[in-house]
């Protein structure tokens, strides 16, 4: 299952609040392709779709919604965030296998 770092959880909560997402909302992560290394689309969602897997970060309660393909591709991965110079968050999905 995708693991969300506490830092990413804080950034998700901040972004969702800025976008006016309700408490059921959060971050939607979608894989754009499944061959090779996938690219991901990340957006704020007001609520999960019916078949989404919803993962909650324990510390902040931030929610991430994944469709079934994305959930499969991010199994054992980590969602992390880098703050940029401009103060915006840059989310990244990295492999959690072998500590990488």
């Amino acid at each position: 299952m995708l693991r969300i770092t506490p830092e990413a959880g804080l950034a998700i909560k901040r972004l969702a609040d800025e976008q006016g997402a309700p408490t059921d909302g959060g971050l939607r992560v979608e894989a754009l392709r499944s061959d090779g290394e996938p690219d991901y689309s990340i957006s704020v969602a007001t609520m999960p779709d019916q078949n989404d897997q919803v993962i909650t970060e324990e510390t902040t309660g931030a929610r991430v919604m994944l469709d079934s393909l994305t959930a499969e591709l991010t199994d054992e991965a980590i969602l992390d965030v880098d703050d940029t110079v401009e103060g915006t968050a840059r989310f990244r999905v990295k492999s959690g296998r072998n500590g990488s």
Side-chain angles (χ1 to χ4, degrees):
M1 178 185 327
L2 177 71
R3 187 173 70 82
I4 307 164
T5 66
E7 295 81 10
L10 287 170
I12 292 165
K13 290 293 275 184
R14 185 174 59 234
L15 183 61
D17 288 347
E18 287 172 2
Q19 299 276 328
T23 56
D24 286 350
L27 199 70
R28 177 174 306 287
V29 178
E30 294 182 272
L32 300 178
R33 66 172 203 243
S34 61
D35 59 325
E37 287 294 316
D39 289 328
Y40 297 97
S41 169
I42 297 178
S43 60
V44 173
T46 56
M47 64 185 316
D49 289 339
Q50 184 175 3
N51 295 322
D52 279 349
Q53 178 178 347
V54 179
I55 301 167
T56 303
E57 196 279 315
E58 296 174 6
T59 308
T60 61
R63 295 164 44 105
V64 173
M65 293 116 193
L66 309 169
D67 60 43
S68 59
L69 173 63
T70 305
E72 182 180 325
L73 292 172
T74 59
D75 189 39
E76 298 185 34
I78 299 166
L79 179 65
D80 204 357
V81 67
D82 293 318
D83 288 324
T84 64
V85 176
E86 299 85 24
T88 59
R90 178 171 290 154
F91 293 98
R92 59 190 163 94
V93 177
K94 59 185 184 178
S95 174
R97 294 185 178 112
N98 302 325
S100 56

